[in-house]
Amino acid sequence: MVSARRASYSVCFCDIDGTLVHYPEAQAKWGEITGPSVVPGCFMYVARETGRRHKILKLPPTSTGLQGVISVKTLTELERMRRGGIKLVLITGARLSTMLTRMAFLPAADAYVCENGGRIYYPEATLTVALPIAEDMEWRRSHNATAGPPDSDAIPPSERPGTLWELYRELTAQGWSLDAFSYTTNFRLKAKDGKTPEDVAHIVENLRPDLASSTNIGLADFYPATSGKEKAAEHIVQKFQSRLEEAFLLCDDDNDMGLAAVVGKVFLPSITSDSVRRAVDANPEKFVVSQKGGIIATEELLEHVEDHIGTFMLG
């Protein structure tokens, strides 16, 4: 017997970069963009193996000049999933400004999370603006002691209150190259200019208890211990009257593995690091890994996701 009520409380957490949005290196291996589509704003991507054509959207270039793409089928399937009663949550380590810039090209969702869990937004239909979303201010204020209050976002990172920014100032004084541009509850560090991965590990191992860290695309992110993708996800499922055990995750990188450990099922378009490989090897029944790449892998995974949703709908 199908239970619509149970399905309505199921949640899909979905990473963005490398999961929904793919970049030239991954795309070139599996096919090529041949030109504009007859559909306004779309381009055609032709799969090398099958010759199949996929409609895609090109996102605005990143600060490093890379331009990601997302397939129209991915957008369509995620919207169909939501119409079936599944809550969709986009969850990313990206800075707030990056997420907002991309919103016109991403799937409509029931919640949007950025900065490794530091900021949470929900659709707000009462707002008569082009992008009607409103921040979960209760969640944002829970980081006040470490990241400073919301009104400190306009202050330069070197002057912000909170222990997160105390660490930022300490590391700056030690000669570290840090990225806090447009971040509000997070900053990023990379080992360069004579600094080593071992130096980064030493910082992480000696963090204050009110701070946390994770690795993303080879970079170390620092943020409040009250934040993090897992804690943000727990906050959201409570709001949706669900449980993490009845949620599933689409993801691809190191900073997703904490959340992967607490949800019911995980779908990977690719394995990007040794830590992801170890997680898969330790619990192979929990993970579904695509044998393709790029947007083709994401589209393939969404077919597996549809099977998985059925397990939540059976009463």
Side-chain angles (χ1 to χ4, degrees):
M1 178 179 177
V2 173
S3 170
R5 181 179 184 277
R6 190 173 184 187
S8 69
Y9 292 129
S10 296
V11 182
C12 172
F13 291 98
C14 191
D15 177 46
I16 298 177
D17 285 328
T19 302
L20 296 182
V21 174
H22 298 277
Y23 290 89
E25 184 177 354
Q27 289 298 105
K29 182 178 179 181
W30 298 95
E32 62 179 338
I33 298 173
T34 59
S37 163
V38 294
V39 179
C42 292
F43 291 79
M44 297 304 303
Y45 176 80
V46 179
R48 186 168 291 110
E49 183 178 300
T50 63
R52 183 180 172 187
R53 299 194 300 171
H54 303 253
K55 296 184 183 70
I56 60 171
L57 297 176
K58 291 183 178 182
L59 278 73
T62 66
S63 59
T64 59
L66 293 177
Q67 188 167 31
V69 300
I70 188 169
S71 85
V72 172
K73 181 178 180 181
T74 292
L75 297 170
T76 301
E77 289 301 305
L78 290 173
E79 177 56 28
R80 188 166 71 90
M81 184 179 72
R82 291 182 71 216
R83 289 200 304 269
I86 305 301
K87 299 290 190 183
L88 176 63
V89 179
L90 299 186
I91 188 162
T92 176
R95 64 199 87 208
L96 175 61
S97 63
T98 297
M99 185 183 75
L100 293 177
T101 300
R102 295 173 165 188
M103 290 285 274
F105 303 88
L106 297 176
D110 300 283
Y112 305 90
V113 185
C114 62
E115 299 193 6
N116 285 301
R119 310 292 292 265
I120 299 175
Y121 291 80
Y122 302 106
E124 181 47 71
T126 62
L127 295 174
T128 55
V129 296
L131 181 60
I133 59 173
E135 184 165 15
D136 185 330
M137 294 309 298
E138 175 191 5
W139 178 251
R140 174 63 182 86
R141 284 191 291 268
S142 71
H143 315 316
N144 279 4
T146 42
D151 60 7
S152 66
D153 291 354
I155 301 172
S158 60
E159 301 174 15
R160 290 176 188 165
T163 54
L164 177 68
W165 305 111
E166 289 176 11
L167 176 63
Y168 177 88
R169 288 187 284 273
E170 291 171 9
L171 295 177
T172 299
Q174 294 171 17
W176 284 92
S177 177
L178 306 176
D179 178 9
F181 177 74
S182 196
Y183 282 113
T184 57
T185 58
N186 182 107
F187 71 83
R188 182 164 283 185
L189 175 154
K190 183 176 183 179
K192 65 177 188 178
D193 299 328
K195 306 292 188 181
T196 67
E198 290 73 24
D199 294 328
V200 177
H202 179 75
I203 295 170
V204 172
E205 290 165 4
N206 291 278
L207 278 181
R208 296 171 46 122
D210 59 352
L211 298 177
S213 179
S214 60
T215 302
N216 182 34
I217 56 175
L219 305 173
D221 287 329
F222 296 89
Y223 43 83
T226 51
S227 179
K229 289 189 175 184
E230 305 96 288
K231 289 189 170 120
E234 177 64 38
H235 179 79
I236 289 169
V237 294
Q238 289 178 8
K239 179 180 176 66
F240 291 160
Q241 302 177 49
S242 186
R243 300 182 301 156
L244 285 174
E245 294 86 347
E246 292 188 350
F248 51 94
L249 171 66
L250 281 71
C251 67
D252 75 310
D253 209 347
D254 298 302
N255 69 337
D256 301 305
M257 291 301 99
L259 181 53
V262 296
V263 298
K265 195 79 173 176
V266 184
F267 300 85
L268 301 171
S270 61
I271 293 179
T272 58
S273 68
D274 291 340
S275 67
V276 176
R277 168 60 69 187
R278 287 193 296 270
V280 173
D281 290 344
N283 195 356
E285 293 184 356
K286 186 173 191 173
F287 291 84
V288 177
V289 183
S290 174
Q291 302 304 308
K292 308 290 186 181
I295 63 165
I296 299 173
T298 301
E299 292 179 2
E300 177 188 75
L301 280 181
L302 288 172
E303 295 176 4
H304 293 295
V305 166
E306 185 170 13
D307 295 335
H308 179 59
I309 289 172
T311 69
F312 288 98
M313 295 180 70
L314 295 176

